[in-house]
Amino acid sequence: MGDTIGISQASMSRCVSNVTKALVEKAPQFITFNRDPSSKDQTFQEFLKVEGFPGVLGVLDCVQVAIKAPNSEDSSYVNKKGFHSVGCQLVCDSRGLLLSAETHWPGGLKDTEVLERSALYKQLQEISEGWLLGDRRYPLRKWLMTPVDCPESPAEFRYNLAHTATHEIVDRTFRAIQTRFKCLDGTKGYLQYSPERSSSILLACCVLHNASLQSGLDAWTLERTDPLEQPESLEQRPEDRDSQAEDLRKQLILKHFS
């Protein structure tokens, strides 16, 4: 871009830094997890139209964005696939609008560790109605519905199908963000910056994504069509299981998918 408009690389770099900083400061204005009762009911209805899954407040996932290796011997940014990355925990609504974006996590953390350390986690404890949808990498909680690991009844299969089709929205949203902002597309290389600056650039892209949706653009106009990876199931110890959440999911399946 510097060559195109006739300014030096140093000046271009300062522009990127300044614009990134300005967008990051605007993040709380553009990315909010709104728990207002009237907007909650609207959110429930919009998700219900997707695949008939009731009570959904948002869909949750943690994605990885490739970065250059930090200068230090810090292995915390090496993810399970063996490359350096920052982890980004996202929640979006049925349109692909981001409700939460925490972009500063070391890639070596598990999705569950990111969730439990996140600011979002504290908000979720206060939810009295509704839930997020998460994939098999997350634990079942009263505020986080996950797929049934080994479905047996037709109702459980229907529940899983509706869950998968609804949860896919967050995967599609991030693929669209990667396509629109090429610096996040791991197939083209990786961000040539420190983890801190890479996290800021990622958050700035999330702000621009929401701003574009609020201006009337379609979230998935530029979506890539990569096949979705099947997540590995979370291995839970018996003492970590939430019996109240299991009962709630059983009631949900019985009432809405039988």
Side-chain angles (χ1 to χ4, degrees), residues 148 150-162 250 253 257-258:
V148 176
C150 299
E152 296 176 355
S153 68
E156 288 177 339
F157 277 103
R158 283 193 288 269
Y159 166 90
N160 273 11
L161 286 171
K250 286 177 184 175
I253 292 170
F257 296 96
S258 292

Side-chain angles (χ1 to χ4, degrees), residues 11-81:
S11 296
M12 195 67 226
S13 183
R14 281 194 299 275
C15 290
V16 170
S17 295
N18 291 340
V19 171
T20 298
K21 182 180 178 183
L23 288 168
V24 166
E25 289 173 354
K26 293 283 187 184
Q29 179 181 328
F30 283 92
I31 304 172
T32 58
F33 191 68
N34 193 338
R35 289 171 293 162
D36 177 74
S38 60
S39 64
K40 182 191 292 184
D41 290 339
Q42 184 180 350
T43 300
F44 286 165
Q45 291 304 315
E46 289 173 350
F47 269 115
L48 196 63
K49 293 174 186 174
V50 175
E51 202 66 35
F53 204 112
V56 181
L57 293 166
V59 282
L60 166 74
D61 202 8
C62 191
V63 296
Q64 301 295 326
V65 174
I67 62 170
K68 75 172 183 179
N71 293 330
S72 63
E73 296 295 318
D74 187 356
S75 61
S76 65
Y77 286 91
V78 179
N79 61 36
K80 64 182 180 182
K81 293 186 177 179

Side-chain angles (χ1 to χ4, degrees), residues 42-247:
Q42 184 180 350
T43 300
F44 286 165
Q45 291 304 315
E46 289 173 350
F47 269 115
L48 196 63
K49 293 174 186 174
V50 175
E51 202 66 35
F53 204 112
V56 181
L57 293 166
V59 282
L60 166 74
D61 202 8
C62 191
V63 296
Q64 301 295 326
V65 174
I67 62 170
K68 75 172 183 179
N71 293 330
S72 63
E73 296 295 318
D74 187 356
S75 61
S76 65
Y77 286 91
V78 179
N79 61 36
K80 64 182 180 182
K81 293 186 177 179
F83 63 87
H84 290 81
S85 63
V86 289
C88 176
Q89 180 178 272
L90 302 175
V91 177
C92 70
D93 70 8
S94 61
R95 299 180 299 135
L97 185 77
L98 296 172
L99 307 176
S100 174
E102 297 187 36
T103 63
H104 58 284
W105 300 104
L109 290 176
K110 295 179 181 177
D111 293 2
T112 50
E113 293 173 322
V114 171
L115 176 61
E116 289 168 2
R117 298 183 190 185
S118 67
L120 176 71
Y121 188 77
K122 298 179 181 66
Q123 291 180 276
L124 294 172
Q125 308 307 306
E126 301 167 10
I127 288 178
S128 58
E129 183 185 12
W131 37 69
L132 301 184
L133 298 188
D135 62 26
R136 299 177 192 279
R137 292 173 291 190
Y138 290 102
L140 176 65
R141 296 291 181 259
K142 289 185 289 185
W143 40 263
L144 180 61
M145 289 291 115
T146 59
V148 176
D149 273 339
C150 299
E152 296 176 355
S153 68
E156 288 177 339
F157 277 103
R158 283 193 288 269
Y159 166 90
N160 273 11
L161 286 171
H163 187 291
T164 299
T166 309
H167 182 266
E168 186 185 23
I169 291 170
V170 69
D171 299 303
R172 292 182 61 199
T173 298
F174 185 64
R175 288 202 304 265
I177 292 171
Q178 284 182 303
T179 306
R180 178 170 278 138
F181 303 106
K182 298 296 185 184
C183 61
L184 306 181
D185 185 351
T187 63
K188 308 294 183 185
Y190 49 82
L191 284 173
Q192 301 284 332
Y193 300 103
S194 67
E196 295 76 20
R197 193 167 175 196
S198 297
S199 297
S200 293
I201 290 171
L202 178 50
L203 183 55
C205 293
C206 290
V207 171
L208 289 171
H209 168 79
N210 270 17
S212 68
L213 261 66
Q214 291 165 3
S215 298
L217 294 181
D218 183 343
W220 302 307
T221 302
L222 300 172
E223 180 193 0
R224 283 207 323 259
T225 55
D226 302 347
L228 292 176
E229 290 186 21
Q230 293 302 312
E232 298 175 4
S233 294
L234 176 69
E235 292 185 10
Q236 269 191 297
R237 297 173 300 178
E239 59 267 31
D240 291 335
R241 295 176 66 170
D242 186 331
S243 58
Q244 287 185 322
E246 290 180 355
D247 289 341

